Amino acid sequence: RADKWEHIASDLVPFSAGRAVNWAALRRKSDGYTLLAAGTHPLCCQGDYVVMEAVDFVIRTLAGVQQQHPYPIVLMGDLNTGYFQPSQQLLRNGHMDAFGRRWQIPMTFTDAWAELHPGNPDPSTINNDPVRLDYVYFQKTPISVGQSVVQSQIWPRAAGSDHRAVSGDVVLNR
């Protein structure tokens, strides 16, 4: 939406067989609020270890981007793993013991859906399979996108995809 957001910078950084993290620094025209929007899609169907490696790479890459563009991150994607898996716990907690080692990343995130639906954090987002693969994460530390998630939705499936779209709204910090 070029009518609402100004593009400041962006890049695509590959991390494995045809996979990458895309990011863009965007400034809202109405008030100058600036954020980093990022998206990724780790390899499917190879277990959470592959996703954990991707998450580690993506977050370290975004930490470097954030040094140049010191704005909070909104991370979105088909992460190909469920809510309770170690890679997703790493994003939420910043550290995780899994796969024979300790993983640590320099930031933490709030899961938009789980924040508002703690009794059902892992609903299906693909076909009718009992697992959630698609996420909207708002950075919590060290730079917070916002103080409160006000809405998150998993939309009905649309033609052309086996996934449901997901969205999240947050009250932005000033």
Side-chain angles (χ1 to χ4, degrees), residues 9 23-26 33-38 62-63 65-67 69-76 139 145:
W23 65 266
L26 303 171
Y33 185 87
T34 308
L35 58 76
L36 296 171
L62 292 175
V65 170
Q66 204 168 50
Q67 288 179 353
H69 305 282
Y71 312 115
I73 298 167
V74 178
L75 176 63
M76 301 159 279
Q139 188 176 7
V145 171

Side-chain angles (χ1 to χ4, degrees), residues 31-79:
D31 62 3
Y33 185 87
T34 308
L35 58 76
L36 296 171
T40 195
H41 185 192
L43 287 172
C44 176
C45 314
Q46 297 184 12
D48 195 55
Y49 180 78
V50 171
V51 178
M52 184 74 101
E53 287 184 315
V55 164
D56 186 62
F57 177 85
V58 165
I59 297 307
R60 292 189 187 291
T61 298
L62 292 175
V65 170
Q66 204 168 50
Q67 288 179 353
Q68 277 190 296
H69 305 282
Y71 312 115
I73 298 167
V74 178
L75 176 63
M76 301 159 279
D78 171 354
L79 299 182

Side-chain angles (χ1 to χ4, degrees), residues 73 92-93 108-110 138-146:
I73 298 167
R92 296 187 303 269
N93 300 327
T108 61
F109 292 83
T110 298
F138 296 117
Q139 188 176 7
K140 184 169 40 178
T141 65
I143 305 171
S144 175
V145 171

